[in-house]
Amino acid sequence: ETGVTQSPTHLIKTRGQQVTLRCSSQSGHNTVSWYQQALGQGPQFIFQYYREEENGRGNFPPRFSGLQFPNYSSELNVNALELDDSALYLCASSSLAGESYNEQFFGPGTRLTVL
Amino acid sequence: DAKTTQPPSMDCAEGRAANLPCNHSTISGNEYVYWYRQIHSQGPQYIIHGLKNNETNEMASLIITEDRKSSTLILPHATLRDTAVYYCIVTNAGNNRKLIWGLGTSLAVNP
């Protein structure tokens, strides 16, 4: 069983550019959640994807968008990058099955720096 | 906003029990208490969760007060590897299950 992986590990972009971050979920998991973590803060929920559909969104502008693929891997896209987008981006996979809760398994994150 | 309040930092001697408190006075009847931890610059790691009863697993114990307004995470024999930020999170059992994180407690385990 492989864990959650994210790529790339580090990324440097300039203001106004676009970025795509990738996440491979843990085997058997059908749900991916994305979080943004600024330095010294707790993670903030961006959105969640369940079976290729968005299943909840946090307080982030539309320039943050995502995709989930049939194999349940996922992408986070951010357009028109701003300096404040510099953060650790975390992907978490889990398995939704009715009311049964399964904990979220986090990847190591992608460190994005916007200059 | 996070529904929990935690002390910003705590210290613990290696080998001793670490008791991390969390207040969640506005918790609803269908909301669970979850604990995660984050070792420096790594992804968060699930520790334990509970609804009403106390819970124990190989990592920790979770003690929830009878009125459910507070809880304590207990690491029975803290090691240096337990140095991390510990997050207490309250969330419902809905199919979204998004996690709302506060600032957590930075636990330093000292030799």
Side-chain angles (χ1 to χ4, degrees):
Chain A
E1 181 180 281
T2 58
V4 179
T5 60
Q6 293 186 244
S7 63
T9 54
H10 295 85
L11 200 54
I12 299 175
K13 291 285 189 178
T14 57
R15 197 169 45 181
Q17 285 189 309
Q18 179 266 342
V19 69
T20 297
L21 310 182
R22 294 178 175 83
C23 170
S24 291
S25 57
Q26 187 161 311
S27 175
H29 286 179
N30 56 18
T31 303
V32 172
S33 302
W34 285 92
Y35 295 85
Q36 179 196 67
Q37 186 174 25
L39 204 59
Q41 303 294 314
Q44 286 198 52
F45 176 75
I46 303 175
F47 43 56
Q48 182 184 90
Y49 279 83
Y50 170 62
R51 293 187 174 180
E52 302 178 58
E53 297 287 332
E54 189 178 286
N55 184 39
R57 187 180 183 92
N59 189 26
F60 281 81
R63 59 189 185 85
F64 285 79
S65 62
L67 282 174
Q68 187 179 32
F69 301 100
N71 66 355
Y72 301 132
S73 65
S74 178
E75 285 183 355
L76 165 65
N77 300 291
V78 187
N79 294 323
L81 284 167
E82 301 176 358
L83 298 179
D84 285 348
D85 295 333
S86 295
L88 181 68
Y89 288 84
L90 295 161
C91 161
S93 78
S94 57
S95 180
L96 289 182
E99 289 301 309
S100 172
Y101 176 82
N102 288 282
E103 66 266 25
Q104 296 190 15
F105 292 83
F106 284 81
T110 294
R111 173 73 61 187
L112 173 65
T113 302
V114 182
L115 303 177
Chain B
D1 291 343
K3 294 186 172 184
T4 61
T5 305
Q6 300 177 253
S9 63
M10 293 183 65
D11 287 298
C12 177
E14 189 177 17
R16 304 298 292 269
N19 297 291
L20 291 91
C22 179
N23 285 321
H24 31 81
S25 58
T26 61
I27 192 170
S28 301
N30 66 345
E31 289 182 318
Y32 289 75
V33 179
Y34 295 102
W35 284 83
Y36 282 77
R37 74 179 182 184
Q38 188 173 27
I39 296 170
H40 181 63
S41 293
Q42 296 182 20
Q45 175 190 24
Y46 166 83
I47 301 173
I48 199 168
H49 76 279
L51 181 63
K52 297 179 183 178
N53 301 320
N54 299 336
E55 302 288 344
T56 296
N57 63 19
E58 64 278 5
M59 288 183 67
S61 295
L62 174 61
I63 308 298
I64 303 174
T65 58
E66 192 168 343
D67 63 7
R68 304 212 318 127
K69 292 185 176 182
S70 66
S71 61
T72 301
L73 178 75
I74 301 172
L75 308 178
H77 305 287
T79 71
L80 298 179
R81 286 192 298 263
D82 292 322
T83 293
V85 178
Y86 287 77
Y87 294 95
C88 169
I89 301 164
V90 165
T91 189
N92 62 34
N95 67 357
N96 184 290
R97 295 177 188 138
K98 66 181 181 182
L99 302 177
I100 307 298
W101 306 66
L103 295 177
T105 295
S106 179
L107 174 69
V109 180
N110 304 309

